[in-house]
Short mmCIF file of all heavy atoms in Angstrom, two decimals:
data_model
loop_
_atom_site.label_atom_id
_atom_site.label_comp_id
_atom_site.label_asym_id
_atom_site.label_seq_id
_atom_site.Cartn_x
_atom_site.Cartn_y
_atom_site.Cartn_z
N MET A 147 27.14 -14.70 -5.73
CA MET A 147 25.73 -14.86 -5.94
C MET A 147 25.08 -13.51 -6.23
O MET A 147 25.16 -12.59 -5.42
CB MET A 147 25.11 -15.45 -4.67
CG MET A 147 24.30 -16.68 -4.96
SD MET A 147 24.02 -17.63 -3.47
CE MET A 147 22.58 -16.85 -2.87
N LYS A 148 24.49 -13.38 -7.37
CA LYS A 148 23.84 -12.13 -7.75
C LYS A 148 22.38 -12.18 -7.34
O LYS A 148 21.65 -13.09 -7.69
CB LYS A 148 23.97 -11.90 -9.25
CG LYS A 148 23.52 -10.54 -9.67
CD LYS A 148 23.80 -10.33 -11.14
CE LYS A 148 23.36 -8.93 -11.52
NZ LYS A 148 23.59 -8.65 -12.91
N ARG A 149 21.97 -11.19 -6.62
CA ARG A 149 20.59 -11.12 -6.14
C ARG A 149 19.85 -10.07 -6.95
O ARG A 149 20.21 -8.90 -6.96
CB ARG A 149 20.59 -10.75 -4.66
CG ARG A 149 19.24 -10.72 -4.05
CD ARG A 149 19.37 -10.42 -2.58
NE ARG A 149 18.06 -10.13 -2.04
CZ ARG A 149 17.86 -9.62 -0.86
NH1 ARG A 149 18.88 -9.34 -0.09
NH2 ARG A 149 16.66 -9.37 -0.44
N GLN A 150 18.79 -10.50 -7.63
CA GLN A 150 18.02 -9.56 -8.44
C GLN A 150 16.83 -9.06 -7.64
O GLN A 150 16.20 -9.81 -6.90
CB GLN A 150 17.53 -10.24 -9.71
CG GLN A 150 18.64 -10.54 -10.68
CD GLN A 150 18.08 -11.14 -11.96
OE1 GLN A 150 16.94 -11.54 -12.02
NE2 GLN A 150 18.91 -11.17 -12.97
N SER A 151 16.53 -7.80 -7.82
CA SER A 151 15.36 -7.23 -7.18
C SER A 151 14.12 -7.66 -7.95
O SER A 151 14.11 -7.71 -9.17
CB SER A 151 15.48 -5.71 -7.16
OG SER A 151 14.43 -5.16 -6.44
N SER A 152 13.10 -7.97 -7.23
CA SER A 152 11.89 -8.49 -7.85
C SER A 152 11.13 -7.40 -8.60
O SER A 152 10.93 -6.31 -8.07
CB SER A 152 11.00 -9.08 -6.75
OG SER A 152 9.77 -9.46 -7.29
N PRO A 153 10.69 -7.68 -9.82
CA PRO A 153 9.89 -6.69 -10.53
C PRO A 153 8.50 -6.54 -9.91
O PRO A 153 7.77 -5.62 -10.25
CB PRO A 153 9.82 -7.22 -11.96
CG PRO A 153 10.13 -8.65 -11.86
CD PRO A 153 11.00 -8.82 -10.66
N ARG A 154 8.13 -7.44 -9.01
CA ARG A 154 6.84 -7.30 -8.33
C ARG A 154 6.80 -6.02 -7.50
O ARG A 154 5.74 -5.42 -7.36
CB ARG A 154 6.58 -8.50 -7.43
CG ARG A 154 6.29 -9.76 -8.18
CD ARG A 154 5.97 -10.86 -7.25
NE ARG A 154 5.81 -12.11 -7.98
CZ ARG A 154 5.62 -13.27 -7.42
NH1 ARG A 154 5.56 -13.35 -6.11
NH2 ARG A 154 5.48 -14.34 -8.15
N LEU A 155 7.94 -5.64 -6.95
CA LEU A 155 7.99 -4.39 -6.18
C LEU A 155 7.71 -3.20 -7.09
O LEU A 155 6.99 -2.28 -6.69
CB LEU A 155 9.35 -4.24 -5.50
CG LEU A 155 9.55 -3.01 -4.63
CD1 LEU A 155 8.54 -2.98 -3.49
CD2 LEU A 155 10.96 -2.96 -4.09
N LEU A 156 8.24 -3.23 -8.29
CA LEU A 156 7.98 -2.15 -9.24
C LEU A 156 6.52 -2.14 -9.67
O LEU A 156 5.91 -1.07 -9.78
CB LEU A 156 8.89 -2.27 -10.46
CG LEU A 156 8.75 -1.18 -11.51
CD1 LEU A 156 9.11 0.18 -10.90
CD2 LEU A 156 9.64 -1.47 -12.69
N GLN A 157 5.95 -3.30 -9.89
CA GLN A 157 4.54 -3.38 -10.25
C GLN A 157 3.66 -2.89 -9.10
O GLN A 157 2.68 -2.16 -9.33
CB GLN A 157 4.17 -4.81 -10.62
CG GLN A 157 4.81 -5.29 -11.89
CD GLN A 157 4.59 -6.77 -12.13
OE1 GLN A 157 4.10 -7.48 -11.27
NE2 GLN A 157 4.98 -7.23 -13.31
N ALA A 158 3.99 -3.29 -7.88
CA ALA A 158 3.23 -2.83 -6.72
C ALA A 158 3.34 -1.32 -6.57
O ALA A 158 2.35 -0.64 -6.26
CB ALA A 158 3.72 -3.52 -5.45
N ALA A 159 4.53 -0.78 -6.80
CA ALA A 159 4.73 0.66 -6.72
C ALA A 159 3.88 1.39 -7.75
O ALA A 159 3.26 2.42 -7.45
CB ALA A 159 6.20 1.01 -6.91
N GLY A 160 3.82 0.85 -8.96
CA GLY A 160 3.01 1.46 -10.01
C GLY A 160 1.53 1.43 -9.69
O GLY A 160 0.82 2.42 -9.90
N VAL A 161 1.06 0.31 -9.17
CA VAL A 161 -0.37 0.19 -8.84
C VAL A 161 -0.73 1.12 -7.69
O VAL A 161 -1.74 1.84 -7.75
CB VAL A 161 -0.72 -1.27 -8.49
CG1 VAL A 161 -2.09 -1.38 -7.87
CG2 VAL A 161 -0.62 -2.14 -9.73
N VAL A 162 0.10 1.14 -6.65
CA VAL A 162 -0.18 2.01 -5.49
C VAL A 162 -0.14 3.47 -5.90
O VAL A 162 -0.99 4.27 -5.49
CB VAL A 162 0.81 1.71 -4.34
CG1 VAL A 162 0.69 2.71 -3.22
CG2 VAL A 162 0.58 0.30 -3.81
N PHE A 163 0.83 3.83 -6.75
CA PHE A 163 0.92 5.22 -7.22
C PHE A 163 -0.29 5.59 -8.07
O PHE A 163 -0.84 6.69 -7.92
CB PHE A 163 2.21 5.41 -8.01
CG PHE A 163 2.45 6.83 -8.43
CD1 PHE A 163 2.89 7.76 -7.51
CD2 PHE A 163 2.23 7.23 -9.73
CE1 PHE A 163 3.10 9.09 -7.89
CE2 PHE A 163 2.44 8.54 -10.12
CZ PHE A 163 2.88 9.47 -9.19
N ALA A 164 -0.73 4.67 -8.93
CA ALA A 164 -1.89 4.95 -9.77
C ALA A 164 -3.16 5.12 -8.94
O ALA A 164 -3.99 5.99 -9.24
CB ALA A 164 -2.07 3.83 -10.79
N VAL A 165 -3.31 4.32 -7.90
CA VAL A 165 -4.46 4.47 -7.01
C VAL A 165 -4.42 5.84 -6.33
O VAL A 165 -5.45 6.51 -6.22
CB VAL A 165 -4.50 3.33 -5.97
CG1 VAL A 165 -5.49 3.63 -4.85
CG2 VAL A 165 -4.84 2.01 -6.63
N GLY A 166 -3.25 6.24 -5.91
CA GLY A 166 -3.11 7.55 -5.28
C GLY A 166 -3.43 8.70 -6.22
O GLY A 166 -4.11 9.66 -5.84
N VAL A 167 -2.96 8.61 -7.45
CA VAL A 167 -3.23 9.67 -8.43
C VAL A 167 -4.72 9.70 -8.77
O VAL A 167 -5.32 10.79 -8.90
CB VAL A 167 -2.36 9.49 -9.68
CG1 VAL A 167 -2.81 10.39 -10.80
CG2 VAL A 167 -0.90 9.72 -9.34
N ALA A 168 -5.34 8.52 -8.90
CA ALA A 168 -6.79 8.48 -9.16
C ALA A 168 -7.57 9.09 -8.01
O ALA A 168 -8.57 9.79 -8.22
CB ALA A 168 -7.23 7.05 -9.40
N ALA A 169 -7.11 8.87 -6.79
CA ALA A 169 -7.78 9.47 -5.62
C ALA A 169 -7.61 10.98 -5.61
O ALA A 169 -8.53 11.71 -5.24
CB ALA A 169 -7.24 8.85 -4.34
N ILE A 170 -6.44 11.47 -6.03
CA ILE A 170 -6.22 12.91 -6.09
C ILE A 170 -7.15 13.54 -7.13
O ILE A 170 -7.74 14.60 -6.90
CB ILE A 170 -4.74 13.22 -6.38
CG1 ILE A 170 -3.89 12.84 -5.17
CG2 ILE A 170 -4.55 14.69 -6.74
CD1 ILE A 170 -2.40 12.90 -5.41
N VAL A 171 -7.27 12.88 -8.28
CA VAL A 171 -8.19 13.38 -9.31
C VAL A 171 -9.62 13.37 -8.79
O VAL A 171 -10.37 14.35 -8.97
CB VAL A 171 -8.05 12.54 -10.59
CG1 VAL A 171 -9.17 12.86 -11.57
CG2 VAL A 171 -6.70 12.76 -11.24
N ALA A 172 -10.01 12.30 -8.11
CA ALA A 172 -11.36 12.22 -7.54
C ALA A 172 -11.59 13.29 -6.49
O ALA A 172 -12.69 13.83 -6.35
CB ALA A 172 -11.59 10.84 -6.93
N LEU A 173 -10.54 13.63 -5.76
CA LEU A 173 -10.65 14.67 -4.74
C LEU A 173 -11.00 16.03 -5.34
O LEU A 173 -11.79 16.79 -4.78
CB LEU A 173 -9.32 14.76 -3.98
CG LEU A 173 -9.27 15.64 -2.75
CD1 LEU A 173 -10.13 15.06 -1.66
CD2 LEU A 173 -7.84 15.76 -2.27
N PHE A 174 -10.44 16.32 -6.52
CA PHE A 174 -10.71 17.60 -7.17
C PHE A 174 -11.99 17.58 -8.01
O PHE A 174 -12.60 18.62 -8.22
CB PHE A 174 -9.52 18.02 -8.04
CG PHE A 174 -8.36 18.51 -7.22
CD1 PHE A 174 -7.22 17.72 -7.09
CD2 PHE A 174 -8.40 19.73 -6.58
CE1 PHE A 174 -6.15 18.15 -6.33
CE2 PHE A 174 -7.33 20.18 -5.83
CZ PHE A 174 -6.20 19.39 -5.70
N VAL A 175 -12.39 16.40 -8.48
CA VAL A 175 -13.58 16.31 -9.32
C VAL A 175 -14.86 16.23 -8.48
O VAL A 175 -15.91 16.71 -8.92
CB VAL A 175 -13.45 15.09 -10.26
CG1 VAL A 175 -14.75 14.80 -10.98
CG2 VAL A 175 -12.33 15.32 -11.26
N THR A 176 -14.77 15.67 -7.28
CA THR A 176 -15.96 15.48 -6.44
C THR A 176 -16.74 16.77 -6.18
O THR A 176 -17.96 16.78 -6.31
CB THR A 176 -15.57 14.81 -5.11
OG1 THR A 176 -14.95 13.56 -5.39
CG2 THR A 176 -16.77 14.59 -4.22
N PRO A 177 -16.10 17.89 -5.84
CA PRO A 177 -16.89 19.11 -5.62
C PRO A 177 -17.59 19.61 -6.89
O PRO A 177 -18.66 20.22 -6.82
CB PRO A 177 -15.86 20.13 -5.16
CG PRO A 177 -14.73 19.35 -4.64
CD PRO A 177 -14.72 18.08 -5.41
N LEU A 178 -17.01 19.33 -8.05
CA LEU A 178 -17.64 19.76 -9.30
C LEU A 178 -18.90 18.95 -9.58
O LEU A 178 -19.88 19.47 -10.10
CB LEU A 178 -16.66 19.63 -10.46
CG LEU A 178 -15.38 20.45 -10.36
CD1 LEU A 178 -14.44 20.09 -11.50
CD2 LEU A 178 -15.71 21.93 -10.38
N VAL A 179 -18.85 17.68 -9.24
CA VAL A 179 -19.96 16.78 -9.53
C VAL A 179 -21.07 16.90 -8.49
O VAL A 179 -22.25 16.83 -8.83
CB VAL A 179 -19.45 15.32 -9.61
CG1 VAL A 179 -20.59 14.33 -9.78
CG2 VAL A 179 -18.45 15.16 -10.74
N THR A 180 -20.70 17.11 -7.25
CA THR A 180 -21.69 17.14 -6.16
C THR A 180 -22.09 18.55 -5.76
O THR A 180 -22.57 18.76 -4.65
CB THR A 180 -21.16 16.40 -4.93
OG1 THR A 180 -19.99 17.07 -4.46
CG2 THR A 180 -20.84 14.96 -5.24
N ASP A 181 -21.89 19.51 -6.61
CA ASP A 181 -22.26 20.91 -6.34
C ASP A 181 -21.64 21.45 -5.06
O ASP A 181 -22.31 22.04 -4.21
CB ASP A 181 -23.79 21.06 -6.28
CG ASP A 181 -24.43 20.76 -7.61
OD1 ASP A 181 -23.80 21.06 -8.65
OD2 ASP A 181 -25.55 20.22 -7.62
N GLY A 182 -20.36 21.24 -4.89
CA GLY A 182 -19.63 21.82 -3.76
C GLY A 182 -19.46 20.91 -2.58
O GLY A 182 -18.86 21.30 -1.58
N GLY A 183 -19.95 19.68 -2.63
CA GLY A 183 -19.78 18.74 -1.52
C GLY A 183 -18.35 18.23 -1.44
O GLY A 183 -17.59 18.28 -2.41
N THR A 184 -17.97 17.77 -0.28
CA THR A 184 -16.61 17.26 -0.12
C THR A 184 -16.57 15.77 -0.40
O THR A 184 -17.58 15.08 -0.34
CB THR A 184 -16.09 17.52 1.30
OG1 THR A 184 -16.96 16.86 2.23
CG2 THR A 184 -16.05 19.01 1.61
N ALA A 185 -15.39 15.30 -0.67
CA ALA A 185 -15.18 13.87 -0.94
C ALA A 185 -15.26 13.09 0.37
O ALA A 185 -15.00 13.63 1.45
CB ALA A 185 -13.83 13.66 -1.59
N PRO A 186 -15.59 11.81 0.28
CA PRO A 186 -15.59 10.98 1.50
C PRO A 186 -14.19 10.87 2.10
O PRO A 186 -13.18 11.07 1.41
CB PRO A 186 -16.07 9.62 1.01
CG PRO A 186 -16.69 9.86 -0.31
CD PRO A 186 -16.06 11.09 -0.87
N THR A 187 -14.14 10.52 3.34
CA THR A 187 -12.86 10.41 4.05
C THR A 187 -11.95 9.37 3.41
O THR A 187 -10.73 9.52 3.40
CB THR A 187 -13.11 10.05 5.53
OG1 THR A 187 -13.99 11.02 6.09
CG2 THR A 187 -11.83 10.05 6.32
N VAL A 188 -12.53 8.34 2.84
CA VAL A 188 -11.73 7.29 2.20
C VAL A 188 -10.90 7.85 1.06
O VAL A 188 -9.74 7.46 0.86
CB VAL A 188 -12.66 6.16 1.69
CG1 VAL A 188 -11.89 5.13 0.93
CG2 VAL A 188 -13.42 5.54 2.83
N VAL A 189 -11.44 8.80 0.33
CA VAL A 189 -10.69 9.41 -0.78
C VAL A 189 -9.48 10.16 -0.24
O VAL A 189 -8.39 10.10 -0.80
CB VAL A 189 -11.60 10.33 -1.61
CG1 VAL A 189 -10.82 11.05 -2.69
CG2 VAL A 189 -12.74 9.54 -2.21
N TYR A 190 -9.66 10.86 0.86
CA TYR A 190 -8.54 11.58 1.47
C TYR A 190 -7.45 10.61 1.92
O TYR A 190 -6.26 10.88 1.78
CB TYR A 190 -9.02 12.42 2.66
CG TYR A 190 -9.77 13.65 2.26
CD1 TYR A 190 -11.16 13.67 2.25
CD2 TYR A 190 -9.10 14.80 1.88
CE1 TYR A 190 -11.86 14.80 1.87
CE2 TYR A 190 -9.79 15.95 1.51
CZ TYR A 190 -11.17 15.94 1.51
OH TYR A 190 -11.85 17.06 1.14
N LEU A 191 -7.86 9.48 2.46
CA LEU A 191 -6.89 8.47 2.89
C LEU A 191 -6.18 7.81 1.71
O LEU A 191 -4.99 7.52 1.78
CB LEU A 191 -7.58 7.42 3.76
CG LEU A 191 -8.12 7.92 5.10
CD1 LEU A 191 -8.88 6.81 5.80
CD2 LEU A 191 -7.01 8.45 5.97
N LEU A 192 -6.92 7.59 0.62
CA LEU A 192 -6.32 6.97 -0.56
C LEU A 192 -5.32 7.88 -1.26
O LEU A 192 -4.46 7.40 -2.00
CB LEU A 192 -7.40 6.52 -1.53
CG LEU A 192 -8.16 5.26 -1.15
CD1 LEU A 192 -9.27 4.99 -2.15
CD2 LEU A 192 -7.24 4.07 -1.05
N THR A 193 -5.43 9.19 -1.06
CA THR A 193 -4.46 10.09 -1.69
C THR A 193 -3.05 9.86 -1.15
O THR A 193 -2.07 10.17 -1.83
CB THR A 193 -4.83 11.57 -1.48
OG1 THR A 193 -4.91 11.83 -0.08
CG2 THR A 193 -6.13 11.91 -2.15
N MET A 194 -2.95 9.28 0.02
CA MET A 194 -1.63 8.99 0.59
C MET A 194 -0.93 7.83 -0.12
O MET A 194 0.23 7.55 0.13
CB MET A 194 -1.75 8.70 2.09
CG MET A 194 -2.17 9.91 2.90
SD MET A 194 -1.15 11.36 2.60
CE MET A 194 0.42 10.80 3.20
N CYS A 195 -1.63 7.16 -1.00
CA CYS A 195 -1.01 6.08 -1.77
C CYS A 195 -0.04 6.61 -2.81
O CYS A 195 0.90 5.91 -3.19
CB CYS A 195 -2.09 5.24 -2.46
SG CYS A 195 -3.04 4.23 -1.33
N ALA A 196 -0.23 7.82 -3.27
CA ALA A 196 0.66 8.39 -4.30
C ALA A 196 2.09 8.53 -3.77
O ALA A 196 3.03 8.02 -4.40
CB ALA A 196 0.12 9.71 -4.81
N PRO A 197 2.31 9.18 -2.63
CA PRO A 197 3.70 9.25 -2.14
C PRO A 197 4.24 7.89 -1.72
O PRO A 197 5.44 7.62 -1.87
CB PRO A 197 3.65 10.21 -0.96
CG PRO A 197 2.25 10.50 -0.70
CD PRO A 197 1.43 10.01 -1.83
N LEU A 198 3.37 7.01 -1.23
CA LEU A 198 3.82 5.66 -0.85
C LEU A 198 4.31 4.89 -2.08
O LEU A 198 5.35 4.23 -2.04
CB LEU A 198 2.69 4.91 -0.15
CG LEU A 198 3.00 3.49 0.28
CD1 LEU A 198 4.12 3.49 1.31
CD2 LEU A 198 1.76 2.83 0.83
N GLY A 199 3.56 4.97 -3.18
CA GLY A 199 3.99 4.33 -4.42
C GLY A 199 5.28 4.92 -4.95
O GLY A 199 6.14 4.20 -5.48
N PHE A 200 5.44 6.22 -4.80
CA PHE A 200 6.68 6.88 -5.23
C PHE A 200 7.87 6.37 -4.42
O PHE A 200 8.93 6.07 -4.98
CB PHE A 200 6.52 8.40 -5.08
CG PHE A 200 7.68 9.19 -5.58
CD1 PHE A 200 7.93 9.29 -6.94
CD2 PHE A 200 8.54 9.83 -4.71
CE1 PHE A 200 9.01 10.02 -7.42
CE2 PHE A 200 9.62 10.55 -5.18
CZ PHE A 200 9.85 10.65 -6.53
N VAL A 201 7.69 6.25 -3.12
CA VAL A 201 8.76 5.74 -2.25
C VAL A 201 9.09 4.29 -2.60
O VAL A 201 10.26 3.89 -2.63
CB VAL A 201 8.38 5.90 -0.77
CG1 VAL A 201 9.33 5.14 0.14
CG2 VAL A 201 8.37 7.36 -0.38
N LEU A 202 8.06 3.48 -2.87
CA LEU A 202 8.31 2.09 -3.26
C LEU A 202 9.10 2.03 -4.58
O LEU A 202 9.96 1.17 -4.74
CB LEU A 202 6.99 1.34 -3.41
CG LEU A 202 6.28 0.96 -2.12
CD1 LEU A 202 4.93 0.33 -2.43
CD2 LEU A 202 7.12 0.04 -1.28
N GLY A 203 8.81 2.93 -5.49
CA GLY A 203 9.56 2.99 -6.74
C GLY A 203 11.02 3.36 -6.51
O GLY A 203 11.92 2.81 -7.15
N ILE A 204 11.27 4.27 -5.60
CA ILE A 204 12.64 4.65 -5.27
C ILE A 204 13.37 3.49 -4.61
O ILE A 204 14.54 3.22 -4.91
CB ILE A 204 12.66 5.90 -4.37
CG1 ILE A 204 12.22 7.11 -5.17
CG2 ILE A 204 14.04 6.13 -3.76
CD1 ILE A 204 12.06 8.37 -4.37
N VAL A 205 12.69 2.78 -3.72
CA VAL A 205 13.30 1.60 -3.08
C VAL A 205 13.65 0.56 -4.13
O VAL A 205 14.74 -0.03 -4.08
CB VAL A 205 12.35 1.02 -2.01
CG1 VAL A 205 12.81 -0.35 -1.55
CG2 VAL A 205 12.23 1.97 -0.83
N PHE A 206 12.77 0.33 -5.09
CA PHE A 206 13.07 -0.61 -6.17
C PHE A 206 14.30 -0.17 -6.95
O PHE A 206 15.17 -0.98 -7.27
CB PHE A 206 11.88 -0.76 -7.11
CG PHE A 206 12.19 -1.58 -8.32
CD1 PHE A 206 12.23 -2.96 -8.26
CD2 PHE A 206 12.48 -0.97 -9.53
CE1 PHE A 206 12.54 -3.73 -9.37
CE2 PHE A 206 12.79 -1.72 -10.65
CZ PHE A 206 12.82 -3.10 -10.57
N ALA A 207 14.36 1.10 -7.28
CA ALA A 207 15.49 1.61 -8.07
C ALA A 207 16.80 1.48 -7.30
O ALA A 207 17.83 1.11 -7.87
CB ALA A 207 15.25 3.07 -8.45
N LEU A 208 16.77 1.75 -6.01
CA LEU A 208 17.99 1.64 -5.22
C LEU A 208 18.42 0.19 -5.06
O LEU A 208 19.61 -0.12 -5.10
CB LEU A 208 17.79 2.29 -3.85
CG LEU A 208 17.65 3.81 -3.87
CD1 LEU A 208 17.35 4.33 -2.47
CD2 LEU A 208 18.90 4.46 -4.42
N ARG A 209 17.47 -0.70 -4.88
CA ARG A 209 17.81 -2.11 -4.71
C ARG A 209 18.29 -2.74 -6.01
O ARG A 209 19.17 -3.59 -5.99
CB ARG A 209 16.61 -2.90 -4.18
CG ARG A 209 16.31 -2.59 -2.72
CD ARG A 209 15.22 -3.47 -2.21
NE ARG A 209 15.71 -4.85 -2.14
CZ ARG A 209 14.93 -5.89 -2.00
NH1 ARG A 209 13.63 -5.73 -1.93
NH2 ARG A 209 15.42 -7.09 -1.95
N SER A 210 17.73 -2.34 -7.13
CA SER A 210 18.13 -2.95 -8.40
C SER A 210 19.41 -2.32 -8.97
O SER A 210 20.04 -2.92 -9.82
CB SER A 210 17.01 -2.82 -9.42
OG SER A 210 16.79 -1.47 -9.76
N GLY A 211 19.79 -1.18 -8.50
CA GLY A 211 20.96 -0.49 -9.04
C GLY A 211 22.23 -0.71 -8.26
O GLY A 211 23.27 -0.17 -8.62
N ARG A 212 22.19 -1.49 -7.21
CA ARG A 212 23.40 -1.71 -6.41
C ARG A 212 24.37 -2.62 -7.15
O ARG A 212 23.99 -3.55 -7.84
CB ARG A 212 23.05 -2.35 -5.08
CG ARG A 212 22.38 -1.38 -4.16
CD ARG A 212 22.34 -1.96 -2.80
NE ARG A 212 21.76 -0.97 -1.89
CZ ARG A 212 21.52 -1.19 -0.64
NH1 ARG A 212 21.78 -2.38 -0.12
NH2 ARG A 212 21.02 -0.25 0.12
N ARG A 213 25.64 -2.35 -6.95
CA ARG A 213 26.69 -3.18 -7.54
C ARG A 213 26.96 -4.39 -6.65
O ARG A 213 26.89 -4.29 -5.43
CB ARG A 213 27.98 -2.39 -7.68
CG ARG A 213 28.01 -1.52 -8.90
CD ARG A 213 29.40 -1.02 -9.12
NE ARG A 213 29.49 0.26 -8.40
CZ ARG A 213 30.63 0.82 -8.04
NH1 ARG A 213 31.75 0.24 -8.27
NH2 ARG A 213 30.63 1.97 -7.43
N THR A 214 27.31 -5.49 -7.25
CA THR A 214 27.71 -6.65 -6.48
C THR A 214 29.21 -6.63 -6.31
O THR A 214 29.95 -6.20 -7.20
CB THR A 214 27.29 -7.96 -7.18
OG1 THR A 214 27.86 -7.98 -8.46
CG2 THR A 214 25.78 -8.04 -7.28
N ARG A 215 29.66 -7.08 -5.17
CA ARG A 215 31.11 -7.08 -4.89
C ARG A 215 31.71 -8.42 -5.16
O ARG A 215 31.18 -9.43 -5.09
CB ARG A 215 31.36 -6.71 -3.45
CG ARG A 215 31.00 -5.26 -3.18
CD ARG A 215 31.33 -4.91 -1.78
NE ARG A 215 30.94 -3.53 -1.55
CZ ARG A 215 31.33 -2.84 -0.54
NH1 ARG A 215 32.11 -3.36 0.38
NH2 ARG A 215 30.94 -1.61 -0.38
#
């Protein structure tokens, strides 16, 4: 029985990573727009989505690349 890894995991990884990258961009753009003000705490928390999405992508790659015996 061949078990295929779901492409939903890859899609979820891409979305989570994109949210994280957008939050990182917002983190650097916010002081320029608000004359030196800091970003809200939510933006700092959303930046952690980038490494989480990266890890999900690695998990997808490892699960889809395994050989069947």
